[in-house]
């Protein structure tokens, strides 16, 4: 018998017999309804508590804010989505305030070393956020591949304030995730960090050292 | 774990007093104090003569047959439907939480469950069933308190001791650091793992000594024996007393401790 | 005996006492653990502030129980969904078989280097050791695991593997093994490790990770982490192998939300970790990164035995947060290595006897004062103290009504101890004998020995009262 069948058989022929199936009451996850402004405040407070940075912008001024943020950090380049509105708007802006714009349009193996060693910052969209935990929801796509939000030392995420949910549970229910998940989905809540050396926090251990969220209100 | 919801009975005319073997042999004063506090509240105390031990030492050591034999000898001691009060969270916990499973699928199952349901830790009973009001007759003093783990977690009475002490006008209750941490007694644990238990009790003595109170009270004689014994061995200025002795000493109209 | 320098693959679990003594007399170990645990206890408390923790724990427990009640069905559903998603599922009866599966995948890909994300199941399998012996390099990438690996040790905590070391010790270790400068600057040490490991990620042939929750409904593997090494491990190498225990499956995606909320708050007092990584398939044709191949190895290794018993089964609810060890007064004193087992602390004490047998693990269930702190903080309400008592019973075959079941049961039953309890029981089941004996002891109390073994090494002997309460009540006329 295969290990698979042997394991399943042992589980099915459990000597203790059938197990009772308890009820699961999810109502503890419900939160009182909140306004967008309240959710943005909560999101900002929570993500800032874990070293995330939040800038509240409008659809008119976010590029200026972004340019300031990048130049203050001396970023030489910015990896932007090829097709997404964010990338197009940035390229169309043709601003000399912005650093060189790069796109991720070929398979990783052909430019891995460059991505790991030469890209200073990246900007991606989000599928919303979670106020209670200060999290960004990201579903990487061919246009915004998985490593885009992970490898560069600075990751900038654009979050529409109207897409903030109270809780993770609410977000997945509302967006009906159970109907089908992408190959990779992420909640990102702050920059990469570790406390493995004597409980002392250090940022950027493997992923970005800085996470900057542009909240579009 | 503590009961999610505890339903206290109305104050009864009688209670059974289950003293525990440690009180019987080592701390009878604490037992007398408990009995006198109950009597002062107008409750008639019945002391079943044939009581010995709840069976816990064997139970927690894994010798369940032996524990069951001893526990079985306790089951017939409480024929009337009166509450059973126990001056110990540990032995109370054994009767309230573990008797039902110890006697599961035996002829004594119903009797054991019945006893479990009417077993109360004594300070909890005094506060929440008798609604005791204490009048402090003692000199101003400062004490720390150590609530036993079983009183805290099995019987859910962590708040009771401090509230009772809070009724005493001249008593200043100070909190030790890591108040929720075990003193290291754990019955046979103290003998099986003397180094670990010793490290735990030494730190507990330090925590209580560092309050500056010079004295502590506790709900359980196991902790009392452990902590006081360690303080004495290391000549630390720390006097321990069962909380019932402390409460009685300060509130009865004779002076000094009952002997 | 220095616990740190023992070969981690040849630790005798039974040698618990000498290791405990060594740890307790080592001020550095004591201090490192005390400081870390105090911090974690406070952080956990703060993280649940304002939440209905009891209702959330109830939900967490019920979700895990529901998943266990449906375990075989859910595993089959998981396998089906994962296969549809393009993830290959393997089944392993024990750690060795799981290691072979991982190795075979490596061999088929001609893989020589494996980079690892944190996985306690792979520790349980001793995967690194297995692969190294067969010429495949396995490198840990979680900073704590990396440090522990550099030191040639095993993790001393399931969440914080290097918690037994302080900054100075880590600096010294990294200096000696990787050539970084000696420094107490944690930022510098972390940045050095980042640099060293980035190279490794780029060149690794296979990434191996654990799994925190496997969702049957959608065929999704969930990983919880802060560093990003888990994302690197599961994204950069062309092949990703996830290994997990069969109990990690949950029914619905929805189940993950409360479990995650409980896990991170219980573990480190975080609202959430930096990354919650949900993997439902390998790289699609149109995607530009991610592994081409994804495998899941489902490991039994004793779990299906635990599953047979209604009470022991609760062990399988565990979501590996480590809160039980953070709050354990014994773990805090002796540290993780003293246990000599993959999983230390309270959860280790109730889980390991099943994995290694109660004969091997006979001391584990006794190393507890049954204070109940572990059960009180467990996010899925595992009654750990009750399970410890159950295993104590099993280890001495102490209950004829409920015969022992765990492999190696009865190994701790000694004839002297059994006789002592028999005598104790005989006396305490006979009230007349008890009264006579205790009254006699009170009379003879001056003869009581002043030395009582381990007890009096740390305390004075307890003092018998002049009269028992029984006698005093008799005098009172009751």
């Amino acid at each position: 018998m295969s290990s698979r069948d042997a394991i399943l058989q042992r589980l099915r022929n459990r000597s203790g017999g059938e197990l009772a199936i308890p009820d699961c009451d999810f109502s503890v996850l419900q939160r009182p309804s909140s306004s967008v402004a309240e959710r943005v405040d909560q999101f900002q407070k929570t993500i800032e508590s874990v070293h995330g940075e939040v800038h509240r912008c409008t659809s008119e001024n976010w590029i200026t804010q972004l340019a300031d943020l990048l130049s203050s950090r001396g970023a030489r380049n910015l990896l932007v989505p090829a097709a997404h509105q964010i990338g197009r708007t940035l390229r169309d802006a043709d601003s000399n305030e912005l650093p060189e714009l790069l796109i991720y349009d070929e398979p990783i193996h052909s430019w891995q070393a460059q991505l790991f060693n030469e890209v200073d910052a990246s900007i991606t969209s989000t599928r919303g956020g979670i106020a209670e935990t200060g999290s960004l929801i990201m579903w990487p796509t061919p246009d915004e591949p998985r490593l885009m939000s992970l490898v560069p030392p600075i990751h900038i995420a654009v979050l529409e304030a109207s897409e903030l949910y109270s809780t993770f549970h609410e977000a997945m229910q509302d967006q009906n995730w159970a109907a089908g998940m992408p190959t990779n989905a992420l909640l990102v809540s702050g920059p990469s960090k570790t406390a493995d050396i004597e409980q002392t926090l250090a940022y950027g251990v493997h992923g970005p050292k800085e996470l900057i969220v542009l909240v579009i209100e | 774990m503590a009961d999610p919801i505890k339903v206290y009975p109305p104050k009864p005319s009688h209670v059974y007093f289950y003293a525990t073997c440690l009180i019987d042999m080592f701390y009878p004063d604490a037992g007398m104090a408990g009995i006198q506090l109950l009597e002062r509240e107008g409750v008639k105390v019945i002391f079943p003569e044939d009581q010995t031990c709840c069976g816990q030492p064997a139970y927690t050591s894994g010798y369940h047959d032996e524990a069951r034999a001893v526990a079985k000898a306790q089951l017939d001691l409480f024929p009337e439907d009166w509450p059973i009060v126990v001056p110990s969270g540990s032995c109370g916990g054994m009767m309230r939480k573990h008797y039902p499973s110890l006697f599961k699928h035996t002829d004594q199952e119903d009797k054991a469950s019945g006893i479990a349901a009417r077993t109360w830790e004594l300070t909890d009973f005094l506060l929440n069933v008798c609604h005791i009001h204490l009048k402090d007759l003692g000199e101003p003093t400062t004490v720390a308190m150590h609530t036993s783990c079983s009183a805290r977690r099995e019987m859910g009475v962590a708040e009771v001791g401090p509230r009772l002490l809070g009724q005493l006008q001249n008593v200043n209750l100070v909190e030790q650091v890591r108040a929720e941490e075990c003193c290291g007694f754990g019955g046979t644990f103290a003998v099986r793992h003397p180094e670990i238990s010793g490290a735990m009790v030494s730190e507990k003595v330090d925590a209580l000594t560092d309050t500056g109170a010079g004295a502590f009270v506790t709900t359980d004689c196991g902790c009392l024996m452990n902590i006081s014994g360690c303080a004495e061995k290391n000549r630390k200025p720390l006097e321990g007393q069962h909380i019932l002795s402390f409460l009685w000493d300060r509130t009865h109209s004779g002076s000094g401790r009952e002997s | 005996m220095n616990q740190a320098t023992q070969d981690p693959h040849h630790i005798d679990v039974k040698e618990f006492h000498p290791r405990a003594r060594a740890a307790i007399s080592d001020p550095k170990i004591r201090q490192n653990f005390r400081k870390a645990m105090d911090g974690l206890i406070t952080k956990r408390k703060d993280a649940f502030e304002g939440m209905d923790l009891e209702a959330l724990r109830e939900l967490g427990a019920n979700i895990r129980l529901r998943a266990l009640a449906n375990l075989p069905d859910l595993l089959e559903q998981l396998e089906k969904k994962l296969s549809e998603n393009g993830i290959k599922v393997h089944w392993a009866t024990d750690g060795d078989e799981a290691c072979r599966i991982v190795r075979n995948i490596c061999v088929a890909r001609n893989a020589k280097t494996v980079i690892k994300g944190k996985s306690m199941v792979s520790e349980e399998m001793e995967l690194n050791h297995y692969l190294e012996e067969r010429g495949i390099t396995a490198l840990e990438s979680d900073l704590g695991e990396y440090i522990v690996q550099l030191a040639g040790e095993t993790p001393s905590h399931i969440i914080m593997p290097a918690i037994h070391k302080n900054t100075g010790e880590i600096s010294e270790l990294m200096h000696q093994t990787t050539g970084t400068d000696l420094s107490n600057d944690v930022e510098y040490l972390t940045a050095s490790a980042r640099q060293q490991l980035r190279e490794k990620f780029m060149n690794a042939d296979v990434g191996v990770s654990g799994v925190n929750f496997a969702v049957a409904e959608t065929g999704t593997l969930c990983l919880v982490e802060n560093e990003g090494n888990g994302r690197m491990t599961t994204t950069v190498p062309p092949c990703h192998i996830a290994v997990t225990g069969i109990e990690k499956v949950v029914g619905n995606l929805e189940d993950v939300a409360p479990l995650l909320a409980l896990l991170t708050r219980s573990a480190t007092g975080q609202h959430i970790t930096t990354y919650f990584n949900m993997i439902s398939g390998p790289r699609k044709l149109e995607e530009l990164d991610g592994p081409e191949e994804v495998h899941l190895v489902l490991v039994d290794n004793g779990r299906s035995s635990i599953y047979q018993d209604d009470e022991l089964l609760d062990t399988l609810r565990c979501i590996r947060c480590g809160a039980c060890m953070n709050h354990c007064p014994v773990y805090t004193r002796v540290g993780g290595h003293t246990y000599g087992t993959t999983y230390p602390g309270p959860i280790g004490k109730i889980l390991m006897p099943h994995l290694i047998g109660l004969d091997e693990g006979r001391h584990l269930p006794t190393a507890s004062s049954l204070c109940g702190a572990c059960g009180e903080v467990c996010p899925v309400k595992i009654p750990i103290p009750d399970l410890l008592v159950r295993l104590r019973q099993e280890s001495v075959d102490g209950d004829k009504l409920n015969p022992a079941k765990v492999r190696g049961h009865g190994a701790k039953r000694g004839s002297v101890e059994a006789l002592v309890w028999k005598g104790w029981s005989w006396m305490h089941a006979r009230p007349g004998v008890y009264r006579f004996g205790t009254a006699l002891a009170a009379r003879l109390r001056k003869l009581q020995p002043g030395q009582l073994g381990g007890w009096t090494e740390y305390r004075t002997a307890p003092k018998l009262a002049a009269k028992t309460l029984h006698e005093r009540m008799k005098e009172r006329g009751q």
Side-chain angles (χ1 to χ4, degrees):
Chain A
M1 196 188 299
S2 69
S3 295
R4 173 190 187 276
D5 293 349
I7 293 167
L8 285 171
Q9 192 182 64
R10 277 177 65 75
L11 296 178
R12 287 205 190 285
N13 301 334
R14 189 178 169 276
S15 60
E18 290 261 308
L19 286 159
I21 299 178
D23 282 333
C24 296
D25 179 3
F26 279 74
S27 62
V28 63
L29 301 182
Q30 274 160 25
R31 300 289 176 263
S33 66
S34 54
S35 66
V36 172
E38 284 168 332
R39 288 197 293 277
V40 173
D41 286 346
Q42 194 186 11
F43 172 85
Q44 176 164 3
K45 191 169 151 244
T46 316
I47 200 167
E48 281 177 353
S49 74
V50 292
H51 220 69
E53 203 176 301
V54 172
H55 296 274
R56 299 187 180 202
C57 318
T58 62
S59 48
E60 280 76 47
N61 71 4
W62 69 273
I63 295 185
T64 326
Q65 292 221 29
L66 173 68
D68 288 348
L69 289 165
L70 290 168
S71 74
S72 71
R73 285 161 174 83
R76 297 162 299 172
N77 50 43
L78 176 69
L79 185 62
V80 306
H84 191 279
Q85 185 66 37
I86 291 169
R88 287 214 306 274
T89 310
L90 283 169
R91 283 195 302 278
D92 293 349
D94 197 23
S95 158
N96 47 18
E97 306 291 312
L98 285 168
E100 179 192 3
L101 301 182
L102 309 171
I103 52 172
Y104 192 158
D105 60 352
E106 48 189 319
I108 180 64
H109 64 85
S110 56
W111 76 300
Q112 182 171 270
Q114 193 192 347
L115 173 64
F116 272 71
N117 300 324
E118 291 167 30
V119 178
D120 289 345
S122 66
I123 186 166
T124 68
S125 67
T126 59
R127 283 177 64 97
I130 298 162
E132 188 170 278
T133 52
S135 308
L136 300 165
I137 301 167
M138 298 198 294
W139 286 21
T141 59
D143 187 42
E144 295 176 311
R146 309 179 198 206
L147 293 176
M148 203 164 159
S149 60
L150 182 63
V151 174
I154 302 168
H155 173 217
I156 298 149
V158 180
L159 172 66
E160 297 285 342
S162 60
E163 292 179 354
L164 261 177
Y165 298 89
S166 283
T167 64
F168 181 27
H169 188 249
E170 186 191 308
M172 67 161 74
Q173 297 287 98
D174 198 73
Q175 297 188 355
N176 195 19
W177 289 15
M181 289 289 280
T183 51
N184 189 210
L186 297 156
L187 302 184
V188 175
S189 316
S192 153
K193 64 173 178 280
T194 184
D196 274 346
I197 302 182
E198 211 182 327
Q199 298 281 289
T200 309
L201 272 172
Y203 295 92
V205 54
H206 291 288
K209 205 175 166 77
E210 289 187 79
L211 175 69
I212 301 169
V213 185
L214 304 179
V215 179
I216 312 288
E217 289 182 296
Chain B
M1 289 307 299
D3 296 297
I5 301 164
K6 226 189 269 185
V7 182
Y8 292 104
K11 185 167 148 185
S13 60
H14 294 70
V15 295
Y16 289 112
F17 191 87
Y18 192 81
T20 82
C21 56
L22 283 185
I23 282 200
D24 191 23
M25 290 190 280
F26 296 99
Y27 299 100
D29 286 342
M32 289 308 303
I35 289 164
Q36 285 162 312
L37 284 163
L38 283 163
E39 287 173 344
R40 196 172 64 192
E41 293 304 302
V43 178
K44 179 120 178 69
V45 177
I46 309 298
F47 183 87
E49 197 195 5
D50 282 352
Q51 60 179 287
T52 60
C53 168
C54 64
Q56 196 204 46
Y59 179 75
T60 54
S61 298
Y63 287 84
H64 291 193
D65 293 326
E66 286 74 9
R68 198 178 288 117
V70 170
K72 194 173 159 192
Q74 318 304 308
L75 296 181
D76 292 327
L77 303 176
F78 317 105
E80 301 294 332
D81 193 29
W82 298 324
I84 302 155
V85 295
V86 187
S88 155
S90 175
C91 312
M94 176 66 193
M95 295 167 76
R96 188 164 180 116
K97 301 291 166 182
H98 303 297
Y99 271 18
S101 60
L102 188 61
F103 289 98
K104 207 170 179 179
H105 306 311
T106 69
D107 294 344
Q108 292 82 33
E109 185 170 359
D110 289 347
K111 198 180 266 180
S113 299
I115 285 173
R118 56 192 166 101
T119 297
W120 298 93
E121 193 276 334
L122 180 46
T123 56
D124 192 20
F125 189 84
L126 287 170
L127 183 72
N128 291 310
V129 178
C130 298
H131 304 291
I132 196 168
H133 287 287
L134 296 165
K135 191 159 178 291
D136 194 356
L137 306 174
E139 293 297 309
T141 190
T142 299
V143 287
M145 168 140 197
H146 178 68
T147 302
S148 77
C149 298
S150 41
R152 178 183 299 281
R153 301 195 178 96
E154 281 197 324
M155 300 303 271
V157 303
E159 305 305 317
V160 170
R163 279 176 60 196
L164 287 170
L165 295 169
Q167 290 186 10
L168 300 174
Q169 254 185 325
N170 287 333
V171 172
N172 174 32
L173 176 65
V174 287
E175 183 153 330
Q176 50 167 329
V177 293
R178 304 186 189 103
E180 294 172 9
E181 194 171 81
C182 178
C183 72
F185 177 62
T188 49
F189 168 75
V191 183
R192 276 185 217 281
H193 296 280
E195 314 82 7
I196 306 173
S197 173
M200 286 164 71
V201 70
S202 303
E203 287 180 41
K204 183 56 74 183
V205 166
D206 289 345
L208 288 166
T209 310
D210 289 348
T211 62
F216 75 97
V217 296
T218 176
T219 47
D220 274 73
C221 290
C223 312
L224 179 58
M225 188 180 271
N226 186 38
I227 301 170
S228 294
C230 179
E232 189 179 54
K233 173 112 182 169
N234 295 292
R235 299 195 170 81
K236 291 278 172 98
L238 185 67
E239 289 287 325
Q241 212 180 1
H242 194 288
I243 186 170
L244 292 169
S245 304
F246 184 80
L247 295 177
W248 175 251
D249 283 1
R250 292 194 68 90
T251 60
H252 81 108
S253 46
S255 61
R257 276 170 81 161
E258 280 282 297
S259 58
Chain C
M1 178 172 329
N2 182 341
Q3 51 179 342
T5 56
Q6 280 189 355
D7 178 349
H9 304 288
H10 296 98
I11 285 182
D12 184 352
V13 179
K14 292 198 291 297
E15 293 297 308
F16 178 87
H17 282 96
R19 284 194 297 269
R21 268 194 294 276
I24 280 170
S25 53
D26 182 340
K28 224 188 251 175
I29 295 261
R30 290 279 290 278
Q31 206 187 338
N32 292 353
F33 277 94
R34 177 92 258 180
K35 184 180 160 212
M37 299 305 127
D38 279 352
L40 288 164
I41 288 171
T42 309
K43 278 176 85 194
R44 174 188 172 274
K45 215 176 217 163
D46 293 347
F48 282 115
E49 197 65 53
M51 299 184 90
D52 187 348
L53 175 56
E54 284 318 302
L56 192 57
R57 288 174 75 224
E58 186 72 23
L59 174 58
N62 285 337
I63 287 173
R64 292 296 301 131
L65 279 170
R66 187 173 66 179
L68 291 171
N70 295 324
L71 186 57
D73 289 343
L74 289 181
L75 286 169
E76 284 196 299
Q77 189 191 355
L78 177 71
E79 181 185 43
K80 183 167 170 283
K81 283 309 275 188
L82 287 172
S83 307
E84 284 170 17
N85 294 350
I87 295 177
K88 176 111 173 68
V89 179
H90 311 259
W91 302 71
T93 307
D94 55 23
D96 269 351
E97 188 179 3
C99 284
R100 277 201 302 280
I101 292 168
V102 172
R103 178 180 178 241
N104 289 344
I105 297 169
C106 290
V107 169
R109 295 189 59 87
N110 197 24
K112 292 277 175 261
T113 57
V114 167
I115 191 113
K116 286 184 66 208
K118 199 171 149 24
S119 155
M120 287 309 296
V121 172
S122 78
E123 297 285 345
E124 191 183 318
M125 294 154 55
E126 298 193 0
L127 178 64
N128 295 1
H129 188 60
Y130 183 97
L131 292 178
E132 298 280 352
E133 281 193 336
R134 288 155 185 82
I136 298 171
T137 311
L139 187 75
E140 296 290 347
S141 64
D142 170 89
L143 183 60
E145 292 273 358
Y146 181 61
I147 292 164
V148 165
Q149 193 179 32
L150 289 178
E153 297 174 14
T154 53
S156 59
H157 189 284
I158 64 169
I159 302 287
M160 288 146 293
I163 204 159
H164 55 290
K165 293 191 180 298
N166 62 30
T167 310
E169 294 168 279
I170 292 167
S171 164
E172 180 70 39
L173 172 71
M174 287 182 65
H175 175 66
Q176 278 171 14
T177 50
T178 70
T180 54
D181 293 338
L182 284 173
S183 167
N184 277 331
D185 180 358
V186 172
E187 286 239 4
Y188 165 75
L189 296 172
T190 305
S192 309
R194 174 187 170 108
Q195 212 44 50
Q196 292 156 17
L197 285 161
R198 283 216 151 189
E199 289 301 315
K200 307 287 183 187
F201 279 120
M202 284 196 274
N203 298 315
D205 301 312
V206 168
V208 171
S209 78
V211 174
N212 290 94
F213 315 111
V215 184
E217 177 182 36
T218 52
T220 302
L221 309 176
C222 303
L223 278 76
V224 176
E225 57 142 350
N226 282 310
E227 295 188 359
N229 70 304
R231 285 183 68 194
M232 288 279 190
T233 301
T234 58
T235 311
V236 179
C239 174
H240 166 212
I241 306 171
V243 293
T244 193
I246 52 171
E247 83 284 14
K248 285 285 175 68
V249 65
V250 293
N252 305 318
L253 195 63
E254 173 184 49
D255 296 343
V256 160
L259 292 179
L260 177 65
L262 284 163
L263 173 61
T264 63
R265 287 178 175 87
S266 300
T268 51
Q270 295 176 269
H271 303 110
I272 193 166
T273 46
T274 298
Y275 301 113
F276 185 59
N277 184 3
M278 291 162 273
I279 297 164
S280 307
R283 179 200 299 207
K284 286 187 173 152
L285 264 180
E286 65 276 17
E287 288 185 274
L288 302 176
D289 60 19
E292 298 147 9
E293 248 180 63
V294 180
H295 301 262
L296 175 69
V297 185
L298 289 166
V299 187
D300 181 345
N301 204 25
R303 288 164 174 80
S304 60
S305 303
I306 307 176
Y307 189 70
Q308 304 298 316
D309 182 89
D310 285 357
E311 189 183 15
L312 300 171
L313 171 109
D314 288 336
T315 313
L316 299 175
R317 280 190 226 170
C318 177
I319 56 173
R320 305 285 189 263
C321 69
C324 60
M325 50 198 82
N326 299 348
H327 289 76
C328 177
V330 173
Y331 177 89
T332 303
R333 300 301 181 309
V334 302
H337 286 146
T338 293
Y339 297 84
T341 52
T342 307
Y343 303 93
I347 184 62
K349 285 183 261 193
I350 60 167
L351 177 60
M352 290 310 299
H354 301 284
L355 307 192
I356 61 177
L358 251 180
D359 35 1
E360 221 18 56
R362 68 184 67 164
H363 294 305
L364 297 173
T366 68
S368 165
S369 63
L370 298 180
C371 79
C374 48
E376 186 179 45
V377 297
C378 175
V380 289
K381 299 176 80 165
I382 301 173
I384 300 176
D386 293 345
L387 291 170
L388 286 168
V389 171
R390 164 72 185 271
L391 290 171
R392 288 181 184 186
Q393 181 264 102
E394 295 250 343
S395 66
V396 296
D397 279 340
D399 193 342
K400 289 194 188 72
L401 295 183
N402 303 289
K405 296 175 177 170
V406 179
R407 181 162 58 90
H409 63 80
K412 201 173 161 56
R413 191 177 182 93
S415 50
V416 175
E417 197 189 349
L419 206 65
V420 167
W421 285 118
K422 273 209 167 33
W424 175 89
S425 177
W426 185 84
M427 173 178 166
H428 286 82
R430 286 165 182 76
V433 177
Y434 169 84
R435 280 195 299 274
F436 177 78
T438 50
L440 184 67
R443 277 324 144 266
L444 303 176
R445 66 191 178 127
K446 295 281 187 299
L447 305 176
Q448 187 194 334
Q451 297 301 314
L452 298 170
W455 177 273
T456 43
E457 271 179 51
Y458 301 92
R459 314 156 189 86
T460 53
K463 292 163 197 65
L464 286 161
K467 279 183 190 168
T468 66
L469 186 63
H470 270 91
E471 291 176 285
R472 287 171 62 173
M473 292 307 285
K474 190 114 188 158
E475 288 172 6
R476 236 181 159 225
Q478 270 173 309

